[in-house]
Amino acid sequence: MTGQVRTVDGRVAGRRGQATRQKLLDCLSEMLSSSPYRDVKVIDVARKAGTSPATFYQYFPDVEGAVLEIAEQMAAEGAALTELLEGRSWAGKAGWQTAQELVDGFLEFWRKNDAILRVVDLGAAEGDKRFYKLRMKILNSVNNSLADAVAELQAKGRVDKDVNPAAVAGSLVAMLAAVASHQKGFSSWGVKQAELKPNLALLVHLGVTGRKPTK
Amino acid sequence: MTGQVRTVDGRVAGRRGQATRQKLLDCLSEMLSSSPYRDVKVIDVARKAGTSPATFYQYFPDVEGAVLEIAEQMAAEGAALTELLEGRSWAGKAGWQTAQELVDGFLEFWRKNDAILRVVDLGAAEGDKRFYKLRMKILNSVNNSLADAVAELQAKGRVDKDVNPAAVAGSLVAMLAAVASHQKGFSSWGVKQAELKPNLALLVHLGVTGRKPTK
DNA sequence: ACTTGTCCTGTCATGCCGTCAGCTTACCGA
DNA sequence: TCGGTAAGCTGACGGCATGACAGGACAAGT
């Protein structure tokens, strides 16, 4: 499926080459966490990895290309987010727990990968299809599950007919993502992490079921 | 209040200087709309404005500094967002209309300024205090009004005690902002603009009042 | 030791960055 | 009218990042 890892000029990368390549990706990842995206330079990444810019360009067309690679790896891990919703109930107390665990897992994932996700978000917002598709890929698991949950409740008549499940799910996911990437903003605005989560869960529960949770 | 406009080396800018300065800002603004933030170069902005890079550096320390300037202007205009909530009711049909108009106004504002807001968002997410404060300034008007509305309903006993008004308001505002900057994402995901708005309004109404709107 | 293919880097042309000295232009008081 | 002064702009320059290439280092098999 993944084919072989190749250099920019078409050679297949061997063991050593793949190690170098991965080291470059790791260093880039670190740099993205510590300095603004706009200021991340190839030469810095290469230096940090103990190699030269020329080597970098053997494996990646540019910084953006390398970021896409990292994001791709992260997207694969992000598939695990589906588990947060797989086979969960939205009724009664179980529903409240589902909402809480979703919020928890989502914020955790976002916090762990915030540097890359920032860049993916930016790229997507700028209209770059590659980043945009990647963002979809990451969010789709949660998004689809949520939309299904809404649609199901709708079929049972417990949610209004004129609700669009995809729109609601997408909005809720966007909310989670946005709050996650501005967590610091909240905290210094007088809202603490611990307070934030239950309120987010409340909003999610309200959005999905249309009702307040029974705790 | 605003003092005089000054160049980087301390001279006060006259009529002509201010015009040049503004032209540079306008051109930068255009460039941000048409190319990725990372690729916006001083020399391109200067060329577009029919001047030289050296001139740019007379008025701004760097690209980031100029962006802050634009964002500041935008934040001033953004104060008008308060009107979307000033003295509005959240009860009954009026509440539904309030939610709708808030969504409408907010999306409109975001769409009009999306290029700058993308950069502000990025800067804030990266932890830059200047951008972070600016983002607050823009969102505060809406944020505070929403929080007040929630707190008021809470005082009347129509919203649960354990809800944190600031957290809910902040989350809703973050949702609006995120959805606005990924509007295209939704549309190509099968959710049309026109469908999106009422669903967003529903979520806002649910979040503020804890109840479904009466339409 | 020799060959082969992978892997890395020195080097180079190009182009942007950010600064400075110095030239031109506009304003103002005598 | 005529300097004087400050505003406004730019050419030019050292420095650095980019991206390409050719050639040297290295590992593995024969």
Side-chain angles (χ1 to χ4, degrees):
Chain A
M1 164 70 192
T2 64
Q4 283 170 312
V5 179
R6 286 183 175 277
T7 58
V8 167
D9 55 339
R11 282 203 316 279
V12 291
R15 227 191 352 265
R16 190 154 68 110
Q18 290 199 24
T20 308
R21 192 183 131 99
Q22 190 57 49
K23 182 157 199 179
L24 283 168
L25 287 178
D26 292 344
C27 290
L28 172 55
S29 213
E30 256 185 81
M31 300 236 58
L32 284 174
S33 309
S34 60
S35 46
Y37 180 45
R38 204 168 192 284
D39 297 343
V40 171
K41 307 290 181 194
V42 169
I43 197 169
D44 297 322
V45 178
R47 256 201 288 264
K48 198 180 184 75
T51 178
S52 75
T55 302
F56 182 96
Y57 285 107
Q58 243 184 13
Y59 295 106
F60 312 103
D62 50 25
V63 173
E64 208 184 37
V67 169
L68 273 167
E69 198 72 22
I70 299 175
E72 206 86 51
Q73 290 178 10
M74 187 198 58
E77 293 168 29
L81 286 173
T82 321
E83 290 171 22
L84 293 169
L85 287 168
E86 198 94 320
R88 303 295 175 101
S89 158
W90 285 96
K93 282 190 180 178
W96 175 235
Q97 200 176 355
T98 301
Q100 280 181 304
E101 288 173 8
L102 171 62
V103 168
D104 236 42
F106 200 97
L107 290 194
E108 176 62 19
F109 175 75
W110 217 266
R111 201 162 43 74
K112 214 188 281 179
N113 304 97
D114 66 339
I116 307 292
L117 285 164
R118 269 197 309 259
V119 180
V120 173
D121 248 34
L122 176 67
E126 279 175 345
D128 186 311
K129 277 184 189 163
R130 298 167 304 169
F131 282 109
Y132 157 70
K133 285 194 173 180
L134 209 40
R135 189 169 184 273
M136 278 286 132
K137 195 170 166 183
I138 297 166
L139 298 182
N140 255 349
S141 51
V142 177
N143 206 344
N144 290 338
S145 308
L146 272 185
D148 287 351
V150 175
E152 205 172 312
L153 289 170
Q154 198 173 33
K156 288 186 195 160
R158 301 179 64 88
V159 165
D160 286 359
K161 295 284 182 199
D162 52 356
V163 166
N164 180 329
V168 167
S171 301
L172 288 175
V173 169
M175 175 179 73
L176 288 175
V179 171
S181 57
H182 291 105
Q183 280 178 78
K184 284 176 196 163
F186 277 88
S187 70
S188 89
W189 196 74
V191 179
K192 287 176 187 156
Q193 261 274 33
E195 283 180 302
L196 189 55
K197 283 184 183 176
N199 285 281
L200 266 181
L202 169 65
L203 286 172
V204 170
H205 191 280
L206 274 172
V208 173
T209 67
R211 298 163 192 283
K212 292 180 195 172
T214 54
K215 301 184 184 179
Chain B
M1 163 72 193
T2 64
Q4 283 169 312
V5 179
R6 285 183 176 277
T7 57
V8 168
D9 56 338
R11 285 203 310 279
V12 290
R15 227 193 349 268
R16 189 154 70 112
Q18 292 201 24
T20 306
R21 195 182 130 99
Q22 191 57 49
K23 183 157 199 178
L24 284 167
L25 288 178
D26 292 343
C27 290
L28 172 55
S29 213
E30 256 185 80
M31 300 235 59
L32 284 174
S33 309
S34 60
S35 47
Y37 180 45
R38 202 167 194 285
D39 297 343
V40 171
K41 309 289 181 195
V42 170
I43 197 172
D44 296 323
V45 177
R47 258 202 285 266
K48 199 180 181 75
T51 178
S52 76
T55 301
F56 182 96
Y57 286 106
Q58 269 209 336
Y59 295 106
F60 312 103
D62 50 25
V63 173
E64 208 183 37
V67 168
L68 273 168
E69 198 71 22
I70 299 176
E72 207 86 51
Q73 290 179 9
M74 188 197 58
E77 293 168 28
L81 286 173
T82 320
E83 291 171 20
L84 293 169
L85 288 167
E86 196 95 321
R88 301 293 175 103
S89 158
W90 285 97
K93 283 192 182 178
W96 176 235
Q97 198 175 357
T98 302
Q100 280 181 303
E101 287 173 8
L102 171 61
V103 169
D104 235 43
F106 201 96
L107 290 193
E108 175 62 18
F109 175 75
W110 218 266
R111 202 162 44 73
K112 214 188 280 181
N113 303 99
D114 66 339
I116 306 294
L117 286 165
R118 266 194 315 255
V119 179
V120 172
D121 248 33
L122 175 69
E126 280 174 344
D128 186 312
K129 277 184 189 163
R130 299 167 303 170
F131 282 109
Y132 157 70
K133 284 194 174 181
L134 209 40
R135 188 168 184 272
M136 276 288 130
K137 194 170 167 184
I138 297 166
L139 297 182
N140 254 350
S141 50
V142 176
N143 206 345
N144 289 338
S145 308
L146 272 184
D148 287 352
V150 175
E152 204 172 312
L153 288 169
Q154 199 173 32
K156 287 185 195 161
R158 302 180 63 90
V159 165
D160 285 359
K161 294 283 182 201
D162 51 356
V163 166
N164 180 329
V168 167
S171 301
L172 289 175
V173 168
M175 175 179 75
L176 288 174
V179 171
S181 57
H182 291 105
Q183 281 179 76
K184 284 176 195 163
F186 277 87
S187 68
S188 90
W189 196 73
V191 179
K192 288 177 187 154
Q193 261 277 33
E195 282 179 304
L196 189 55
K197 285 183 181 176
N199 285 281
L200 267 179
L202 170 65
L203 286 172
V204 170
H205 191 280
L206 274 171
V208 173
T209 68
R211 298 163 190 283
K212 292 180 195 170
T214 54
K215 301 182 184 179

